[in-house]
Amino acid sequence: MNEKILIPRKDIQSKVNALALQIAVDYKNKDLVLVGVLNGAFIFLSDLARELFKNGVNPQLYFVGVSSYVNSTNSSKQPKLTSDMKGSIEGKDVLIVEDIIDAGHTVYFLLEHLQRKKPNSIKVCSLLSKRSRREKEIEIDYLGFEIENVWVEGYGMDTEGKFRGSPDILQRT
Ligand code: IMP
Ligand code: MG
């Protein structure tokens, strides 16, 4: 197996900046909470949060852990919560921050889970989407890039725990 660069770091950076600008406009004067999905979204969330801060948005940041994969390539249809977020989101405006939406089960599950905590609103922000793989219909309010059905790694995303540190998004070839 080899890797090639699918999305270079410069393109990721401009996209994150554009998403942050859009979110800053939409959430002006709102009580925003970013909920990052561990582990893959940690780098995207940290870049997004810093870019939001530059644009005058200072959201609360929380993480949830969801195990959605039984092995590295097959989606489990029953995602499980491995760690819940610590704070309250009641009455707040929640933005789920994901690395990639594949079949859609993880985000579908999280939307239901977080809805029970009575937020004022919940929206979805994902850096990547593989629309052709979707099994659950998910409305992605803020999307970075739509990609083909290929396995990607880097910028937080892994293959068996590795490659998360790559600043570029890589494609397995
Ligand atoms: P879904 O429940 O099928 O939408 O799965 C979404 C999760 O699967 C993402 O949060 C990723 O952690 C993981 N995932 C899906 N596709 C890839 C990929 O190409 N590379 C790395 N992780 C992936
Ligand atoms: Mg993920």
Side-chain angles (χ1 to χ4, degrees):
M1 291 266 229
N2 280 309
E3 294 85 35
K4 67 168 193 189
I5 293 179
L6 179 68
I7 308 173
R9 60 196 81 181
K10 274 203 157 55
D11 296 1
I12 300 172
Q13 196 188 358
S14 349
K15 189 64 82 174
V16 171
N17 294 359
L19 288 171
L21 267 179
Q22 184 68 55
I23 293 166
V25 169
D26 295 353
Y27 286 88
K28 196 171 163 55
N29 303 320
K30 296 214 167 149
D31 203 354
L32 178 62
V33 182
L34 299 183
V35 178
V37 186
L38 291 172
N39 295 325
F42 79 109
I43 290 182
F44 177 41
L45 179 64
S46 64
D47 281 349
L48 187 68
R50 286 179 292 179
E51 209 47 46
L52 284 170
F53 197 81
K54 288 188 208 161
N55 286 291
V57 183
N58 187 10
Q60 288 179 298
L61 300 186
Y62 291 105
F63 288 95
V64 288
V66 185
S67 67
S68 53
Y69 271 69
V70 277
N71 60 42
S72 54
T73 48
N74 283 317
S75 173
S76 152
K77 304 206 169 167
Q78 294 268 304
K80 283 191 182 67
L81 202 67
T82 53
S83 94
D84 202 356
M85 51 172 294
K86 301 291 181 277
S88 162
I89 54 171
E90 192 168 337
K92 296 182 180 173
D93 295 294
V94 172
L95 188 57
I96 296 175
V97 179
E98 249 294 30
D99 50 359
I100 180 163
I101 299 179
D102 186 28
H105 297 289
T106 305
V107 167
Y108 186 86
F109 166 83
L110 266 180
L111 283 166
E112 286 201 321
H113 172 72
L114 295 174
Q115 203 73 62
R116 279 186 237 119
K117 297 177 187 281
K118 302 189 169 56
N120 181 55
S121 69
I122 307 191
K123 287 191 174 181
V124 176
C125 173
S126 184
L127 182 63
L128 304 178
S129 160
K130 293 185 204 172
R131 167 135 276 295
S132 64
R133 296 255 307 160
R134 211 78 92 240
E135 290 171 16
K136 289 272 192 222
E137 200 51 52
I138 302 288
E139 189 185 327
I140 308 176
D141 302 282
Y142 304 94
L143 175 63
F145 304 92
E146 189 64 59
I147 63 167
E148 300 298 308
N149 181 17
V150 291
W151 187 257
V152 291
E153 57 204 9
Y155 199 70
M157 292 168 285
D158 74 311
T159 299
E160 288 162 6
K162 294 199 170 192
F163 290 96
R164 293 195 196 275
S166 165
D168 306 300
I169 294 175
L170 309 173
Q171 172 185 343
R172 286 249 131 173
T173 54

